C-alpha cells in the first residue's frame, strides 16, 4: 500500500485531478438513474500480426452509491500465457483528491472457477478496495498482450443498467496487414449513437454523454436497446490454430477441422456400447434411446480447456468419467449417433433468457453454449445435452427462437431453433374445490406444464417431498395455505410434460356478508402488481409467449345457494386474449379461464395499453361469486 503524499508535485497532481474528476462536474443528466458514471474509458487495440494483439485499457469511473461498487472493481480477466503490464489504480474522493494508489503487486490472482466450473485455464487479477464514503472515483489502467486474435470484443456504451457514460472510446491500430471487418449496429430506439473516425490503419469509435438505463418493468436487455460495433479479422489465430473468418463457410470449415475433428474420435468401447443398446425402429426412436441413455450416465460439469476453452473433451473421457460440459456432452452424444449411423451436427448458440441470434452477414466468433441438431425426414431433432431431466427433443426458453451455427464439414449453416409459441408453453390446471362455511377452501388439483412452463417446473424434480410442498406453496402464494401436499410429480421425458397433483386447504378464502359469503372466481392466479408509467422512455419486452387454461369446479355448502355470478368475459388485444366463463349446476359451479400472452418487444407508447390488458385480466380473475344461506 502506498502512503498518501501531501507535499510537492503530488499535491499539484491531486489538485490537477480534483479539477478533472470531481463528482460535482458530472452533468445532472448522467447522474439520473446512475449508481456509477464512466468519466472516461479509452481502449486501444493494436493488432501487430495474426498471433499478436495488444490491449491498453484506461478507465475512470465515479461511484455514486454502494450499488455501484461492483461496477468499478479493478478486475483483469486473463488466460495462462497472456502478458499483463502497467497495472495502475488510483482512488480519489468525491472532490477529486487522491486517496490511495495501487500496483499489480496489490492484486490477488485467482482461478476463474465459478460454481460448476471444474477445469479452466481462465484466471483473473482483482483488487479488493472498501470505500469509506461516497462518491469516490477509481482510475484503472493496464496492458495485456494475447496471441489469440479471434476474440476482439464488441464495443457498446455499457452492458449493465444504472451506468452512464461521459466518454468512451475504442481505437484500433491495425499493423498486421490483415483486413479488419467492422459493422455498426445502430440503436433501434435512437438511445444514442456512435461516432466513427476512420484514418487508414486506425479506426476510432466514440460514445459521449450516454444516460443510464434504469431498472424498470419488462426492460429488454441493454444489448437490444443500445448501439454496438462489432469487429473481426479476416484471418485469425486461436491457440496456434490459424483460420479464415471472411465467410461463415470459411469459418465453419476451420471450426470443423481444427476444433471438432481432432476430438471426434470413437473407441472400440463406445462402438460396443452403442451396439449393446440394440437400436430398433425409426430414426427418432433410435435417437431418443441413445439420448436418454446418455442422460442416465452423464452429468454436467464445466470444463474450459482445449483451444481456448472452445474444444470439447474427447468422447472417451466423457465415457470414462461420466461428466462433461455442454461441448463435451454434445460431442459425446454426436459420437454415439455416429456409431449408430445417424448424422448430427454440433451447433453453437447464444443461450440467454432474451433471444439473440448471429448476424448472417457478419461472420464472427461467438456463442456461449453447444447443442446438437439431428436432421430427419420429419424435421430437425434438437438435443440439449447438459441436463439429466430435460425431455427428448426439447429446447428450453433460453435456446428457442434464435439461430445456431451448425458446424458442418464444408462450413457453417445458420439454422433457426424452434419457435416458442404460446400454445407450446402451456399450463393446464384442473381444480376440484369446496368452499366451506368457516371461510376455508379445500381441494385437489391436477397440473400439467409444457414448453417454457415445463422448464420452470423441472426445478421440482430433484426436491424432497417436504421441499416440493414448500416450493409449490411459494409459487401459488395467492392462496393462504394451511396445508399443501404435492403428489405424483412426473417428468415425462418422452413428451416434454411435467405433471403433479395437489391436495390443499387454504384459510380465509371467502368473506362473510350477513347470511352470504363472497369469494373470488379464480383461486390460483397471478397476484402481480401492474403499474402504468406516464413517462415511459424505453420499449418493453414480453420474454415468453404462454397460454394458461384453468378449469375450476366449485362445490358450495349444501345449505347455501349460488346467488350471483359474474358475467362471462372476453378480452382481445394485440398482447393476447383472455376468456372467463361460468356454468351453474345446483350447488356446483364450473369456471373456465384461459389466457394467452404473446411475446415480443413493443414500443414504449404501448406500455400502458399492455398494463391495462393485464389489469383487466387480474380484475376478472378476482371477480366475485356470491352464495347465500338458504
Amino acid at each position: 500500500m502506498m502512503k498518501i503524499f501531501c507535499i510537492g508535485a503530488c499535491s499539484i497532481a491531486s489538485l490537477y485531478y480534483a479539477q478533472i474528476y470531481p463528482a460535482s462536474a458530472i452533468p445532472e443528466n448522467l447522474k439520473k438513474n446512475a449508481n456509477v458514471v464512466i468519466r472516461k474509458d479509452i481502449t486501444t487495440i493494436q493488432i501487430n500480426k495474426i498471433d499478436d494483439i495488444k490491449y491498453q485499457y484506461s478507465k475512470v469511473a465515479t461511484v455514486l452509491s454502494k450499488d455501484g461498487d461492483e461496477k468499478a472493481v479493478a478486475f483483469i480477466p486473463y488466460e495462462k500465457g497472456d502478458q499483463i503490464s502497467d497495472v495502475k489504480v488510483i482512488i480519489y474522493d468525491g472532490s477529486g483528491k487522491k486517496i490511495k494508489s495501487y500496483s499489480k503487486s496489490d492484486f490477488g490472482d485467482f482461478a476463474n472457477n465459478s460454481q460448476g466450473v471444474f477445469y479452466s485455464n481462465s484466471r483473473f487479477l482483482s483488487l479488493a478496495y472498501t470505500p469509506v464514503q461516497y462518491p469516490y472515483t477509481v482510475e484503472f489502467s493496464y496492458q495485456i498482450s494475447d496471441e489469440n486474435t479471434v476474440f476482439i470484443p464488441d464495443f457498446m456504451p455499457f452492458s449493465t443498467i444504472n451506468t452512464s457514460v461521459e466518454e468512451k472510446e475504442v481505437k484500433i491500430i491495425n499493423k498486421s496487414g490483415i483486413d479488419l471487418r467492422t459493422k455498426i449496429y445502430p440503436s433501434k430506439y435512437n438511445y444514442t449513437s456512435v461516432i466513427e473516425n476512420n484514418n487508414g490503419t486506425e479506426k476510432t469509435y466514440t460514445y459521449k454523454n450516454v444516460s443510464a438505463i434504469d431498472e424498470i418493468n419488462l426492460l429488454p436487455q441493454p444489448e437490444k436497446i443500445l448501439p454496438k460495433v462489432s469487429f473481426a479479422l479476416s484471418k485469425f489465430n486461436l491457440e496456434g490454430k490459424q483460420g479464415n473468418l471472411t465467410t461463415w463457410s470459411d469459418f465453419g470449415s476451420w471450426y470443423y477441422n481444427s476444433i471438432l475433428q481432432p476430438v471426434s474420435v470413437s473407441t472400440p468401447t463406445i462402438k460396443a456400447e452403442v451396439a449393446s443398446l440394440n437400436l430398433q425402429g425409426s430414426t427418432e426412436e433410435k435417437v431418443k434411446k441413445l439420448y436418454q441413455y446418455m442422460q442416465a450416465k452423464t452429468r454436467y460439469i464445466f470444463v474450459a480447456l482445449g483451444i481456448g476453452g472452445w474444444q470439447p473433451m474427447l468422447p472417451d473421457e466423457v465415457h470414462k468419467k461420466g461428466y462433461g460440459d455442454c461441448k463435451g456432452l454434445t460431442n459425446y452424444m454426436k459420437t454415439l449417433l455416429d456409431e449408430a449411423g445417424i448424422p448430427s451436427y454440433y451447433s453453437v448458440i447464444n443461450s440467454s433468457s432474451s433471444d439473440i441470434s448471429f448476424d448472417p452477414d457478419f461472420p464472427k466468433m461467438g456463442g456461449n453454449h453447444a447443442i446438437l441438431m439431428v436432421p430427419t425426414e420429419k424435421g430437425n431433432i434438437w438435443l440439449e445435452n447438459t441436463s439429466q431431466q430435460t425431455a427428448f427433443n426439447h429446447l428450453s426458453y433460453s435456446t428457442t427462437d434464435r439461430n445456431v451455427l451448425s458446424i458442418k464439414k464444408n462450413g457453417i449453416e445458420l439454422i433457426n431453433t424452434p419457435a416458442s409459441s404460446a400454445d407450446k408453453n402451456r399450463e393446464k390446471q384442473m381444480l376440484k374445490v369446496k368452499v366451506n362455511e368457516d371461510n376455508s377452501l379445500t381441494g385437489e388439483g391436477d397440473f400439467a406444464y409444457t414448453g417454457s412452463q415445463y422448464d420452470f417446473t423441472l426445478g421440482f424434480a430433484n426436491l424432497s417431498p417436504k421441499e416440493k410442498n414448500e416450493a409449490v406453496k411459494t409459487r401459488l402464494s395467492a392462496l393462504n395455505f394451511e396445508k399443501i401436499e404435492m403428489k405424483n410429480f412426473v417428468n415425462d421425458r418422452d413428451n416434454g410434460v411435467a405433471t403433479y397433483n395437489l391436495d390443499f386447504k387454504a384459510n380465509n378464502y371467502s368473506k362473510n356478508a350477513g347470511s352470504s359469503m363472497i369469494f373470488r372466481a379464480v383461486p390460483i392466479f397471478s397476484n402481480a402488481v401492474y403499474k402504468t408509467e406516464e413517462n415511459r422512455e424505453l420499449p418493453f419486452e414480453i420474454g415468453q409467449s404462454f397460454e394458461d387454461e384453468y378449469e375450476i369446479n366449485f362445490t358450495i355448502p349444501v345449505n347455501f345457494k349460488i346467488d350471483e355470478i359474474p358475467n362471462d368475459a372476453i378480452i382481445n388485444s394485440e398482447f393476447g386474449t383472455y376468456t372467463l366463463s361460468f356454468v351453474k349446476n345446483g350447488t356446483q359451479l364450473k369456471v373456465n379461464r384461459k389466457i394467452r400472452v404473446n411475446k415480443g418487444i413493443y414500443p414504449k407508447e404501448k406500455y400502458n395499453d399492455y398494463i391495462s390488458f393485464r389489469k383487466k385480466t387480474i380484475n376478472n380473475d378476482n371477480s366475485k361469486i356470491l352464495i347465500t344461506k338458504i
Side-chain angles (χ1 to χ4, degrees):
M1 300 292 179
M2 297 181 66
K3 294 182 179 180
I4 300 174
F5 295 101
C6 302
I7 58 174
C10 291
S11 295
I12 297 173
S14 294
L15 178 61
Y16 172 71
Y17 284 116
Q19 293 172 337
I20 295 179
Y21 302 133
S24 59
I26 299 172
E28 288 301 315
N29 69 301
L30 298 185
K31 292 181 181 178
K32 181 182 178 182
N33 301 324
N35 47 45
V36 64
V37 181
I38 307 302
R39 313 294 295 276
K40 183 172 286 190
D41 187 342
I42 308 296
T43 299
T44 301
I45 303 173
Q46 184 170 304
I47 306 165
N48 297 313
K49 51 186 180 179
I50 194 170
D51 58 355
D52 182 5
I53 189 168
K54 178 182 289 186
Y55 298 87
Q56 182 173 327
Y57 297 99
S58 179
K59 179 179 179 180
V60 180
T62 297
V63 180
L64 303 179
S65 67
K66 183 176 178 61
D67 290 336
D69 285 341
E70 64 180 19
K71 298 177 183 179
V73 171
F75 176 87
I76 306 174
Y78 73 97
E79 300 284 331
K80 290 182 179 179
D82 293 346
Q83 298 177 12
I84 302 168
S85 61
D86 297 335
V87 179
K88 297 177 183 177
V89 177
I90 303 175
I91 310 295
Y92 305 95
D93 67 13
S95 66
K97 181 181 178 181
K98 179 179 174 182
I99 298 174
K100 277 191 176 182
S101 60
Y102 302 90
S103 64
K104 184 179 178 181
S105 61
D106 298 308
F107 281 65
D109 191 346
F110 306 95
N112 196 7
N113 290 351
S114 58
Q115 184 177 7
V117 177
F118 192 44
Y119 293 126
S120 176
N121 281 327
S122 298
R123 300 189 65 81
F124 66 91
L125 301 178
S126 182
L127 174 68
Y129 173 74
T130 303
V132 295
Q133 61 182 3
Y134 299 89
Y136 67 96
T137 297
V138 179
E139 183 178 14
F140 174 38
S141 61
Y142 69 96
Q143 291 187 31
I144 184 168
S145 297
D146 193 354
E147 66 174 15
N148 297 322
T149 53
V150 72
F151 300 117
I152 302 176
D154 290 342
F155 180 55
M156 293 173 57
F158 44 77
S159 58
T160 58
I161 60 173
N162 302 119
T163 301
S164 63
V165 169
E166 281 195 71
E167 181 179 3
K168 184 172 182 177
E169 175 186 288
V170 63
K171 178 189 288 186
I172 300 186
I173 304 169
N174 186 7
K175 297 182 176 181
S176 67
I178 302 169
D179 180 46
L180 175 69
R181 295 182 296 105
T182 64
K183 185 170 183 177
I184 296 175
Y185 298 84
S187 168
K188 295 179 181 179
Y189 307 100
N190 299 315
Y191 195 84
T192 190
S193 58
V194 64
I195 303 166
E196 180 182 18
N197 187 0
N198 192 342
N199 181 21
T201 59
E202 292 188 12
K203 296 182 179 182
T204 304
Y205 300 88
T206 308
Y207 298 108
K208 290 188 176 182
N209 299 316
V210 185
S211 299
I213 294 176
D214 195 17
E215 184 174 9
I216 54 176
N217 192 35
L218 301 178
L219 177 70
Q221 288 186 0
E223 183 172 345
K224 292 192 172 184
I225 296 171
L226 298 168
K228 73 172 181 179
V229 187
S230 285
F231 311 96
L233 285 169
S234 60
K235 295 180 180 179
F236 64 87
N237 178 71
L238 176 59
E239 300 292 331
K241 304 286 187 178
Q242 297 183 359
N244 191 311
L245 195 42
T246 304
T247 66
W248 283 120
S249 178
D250 291 337
F251 182 55
S253 295
W254 173 86
Y255 205 117
Y256 180 87
N257 289 303
S258 297
I259 291 185
L260 297 184
Q261 197 61 15
V263 293
S264 298
V265 181
S266 185
T267 64
T269 303
I270 293 174
K271 186 183 293 289
E273 180 180 26
V274 174
S276 69
L277 295 175
N278 191 28
L279 300 174
Q280 302 290 332
S282 66
T283 299
E284 182 177 3
E285 289 170 328
K286 293 176 182 177
V287 175
K288 180 189 290 187
K289 187 169 184 178
L290 273 173
Y291 176 68
Q292 293 180 346
Y293 168 80
M294 183 275 298
Q295 284 182 299
K297 68 169 297 177
T298 61
R299 68 189 190 279
Y300 174 83
I301 293 179
F302 182 64
V303 182
L305 297 174
I307 309 187
W310 286 78
Q311 190 166 63
M313 295 169 59
L314 285 162
D316 191 48
E317 288 186 75
V318 177
H319 171 77
K320 290 177 179 177
K321 297 177 179 178
Y323 63 73
D325 60 12
C326 64
K327 306 183 301 294
L329 294 172
T330 296
N331 189 50
Y332 176 58
M333 184 64 209
K334 183 181 185 307
T335 304
L336 295 178
L337 290 168
D338 287 344
E339 289 295 352
I342 301 171
S344 62
Y345 299 99
Y346 185 100
S347 300
V348 179
I349 193 168
N350 287 300
S351 175
S352 68
S353 58
S354 186
D355 51 284
I356 297 174
S357 285
F358 297 97
D359 183 349
D361 301 319
F362 194 82
K364 187 180 190 307
M365 185 69 147
N368 61 2
H369 189 50
I371 58 178
L372 199 64
M373 187 273 285
V374 186
T376 74
E377 293 180 356
K378 296 181 179 180
N380 295 331
I381 294 172
W382 296 93
L383 302 179
E384 168 57 66
N385 303 289
T386 59
S387 170
Q388 295 170 302
Q389 300 295 336
T390 295
F392 171 71
N393 197 18
H394 172 82
L395 292 182
S396 75
Y397 67 92
S398 66
T399 49
T400 52
D401 294 309
R402 66 204 74 193
N403 63 20
V404 303
L405 304 180
S406 188
I407 315 297
K408 301 183 177 182
K409 186 174 184 178
N410 57 351
I412 278 175
E413 183 179 358
L414 275 72
I415 301 175
N416 292 328
T417 60
S420 185
S421 56
D423 58 346
K424 293 179 181 177
N425 302 327
R426 298 188 76 243
E427 176 190 7
K428 177 73 173 180
Q429 180 187 126
M430 299 190 69
L431 298 181
K432 293 181 180 179
V433 293
K434 182 180 179 183
V435 179
N436 302 310
E437 289 191 63
D438 63 357
N439 302 121
S440 67
L441 184 76
T442 54
E444 57 187 34
D446 300 329
F447 296 77
Y449 301 88
T450 61
S452 62
Q453 303 218 55
Y454 167 83
D455 299 329
F456 302 141
T457 307
L458 276 186
F460 291 128
N462 294 320
L463 300 181
S464 68
K466 182 179 179 180
E467 290 170 333
K468 283 185 173 73
N469 295 340
E470 289 300 317
V472 77
K473 181 178 180 180
T474 300
R475 177 178 289 193
L476 307 180
S477 59
L479 280 176
N480 180 25
F481 290 107
E482 177 183 317
K483 67 174 184 178
I484 187 168
E485 182 180 4
M486 180 189 287
K487 299 178 178 179
N488 306 319
F489 180 87
V490 175
N491 173 19
D492 182 350
R493 294 191 295 125
D494 290 335
N495 300 297
V497 183
T499 59
Y500 59 82
N501 310 122
L502 282 185
D503 287 344
F504 60 88
K505 180 179 181 181
N507 295 323
N508 304 316
Y509 182 69
S510 61
K511 293 184 178 180
N512 295 324
S515 61
S516 301
M517 289 196 299
I518 300 171
F519 54 91
R520 67 173 179 262
V522 179
I524 297 172
F525 74 112
S526 169
N527 55 0
V529 176
Y530 292 95
K531 294 182 179 180
T532 58
E533 295 181 20
E534 296 307 319
N535 299 305
R536 179 88 183 194
E537 297 178 348
L538 291 170
F540 65 100
E541 181 174 20
I542 302 173
Q544 288 291 318
S545 299
F546 66 89
E547 184 175 277
D548 295 344
E549 185 176 354
Y550 299 172
E551 180 184 302
I552 307 138
N553 293 279
F554 286 101
T555 299
I556 65 173
V558 292
N559 55 338
F560 278 74
K561 66 175 181 177
I562 299 171
D563 212 351
E564 293 182 14
I565 60 175
N567 294 325
D568 292 353
I570 299 176
I571 305 172
N572 293 309
S573 82
E574 68 175 298
F575 312 109
T577 58
Y578 174 93
T579 60
L580 185 68
S581 63
F582 302 85
V583 178
K584 183 169 63 172
N585 182 16
T587 60
Q588 294 190 331
L589 177 67
K590 179 188 288 187
V591 180
N592 288 294
R593 181 245 197 204
K594 188 174 183 179
I595 184 171
R596 180 187 181 102
V597 174
N598 304 321
K599 71 174 289 184
I601 296 182
Y602 298 88
K604 60 184 181 182
E605 292 81 9
K606 294 185 177 182
Y607 180 76
N608 287 339
D609 293 336
Y610 174 69
I611 296 302
S612 176
F613 167 65
R614 294 312 302 267
K615 282 184 173 181
K616 289 177 182 176
T617 65
I618 290 177
N619 287 341
N620 277 281
D621 287 344
N622 204 33
S623 58
K624 298 300 188 289
I625 297 165
L626 176 69
I627 61 174
T628 303
K629 206 164 194 176
I630 301 172

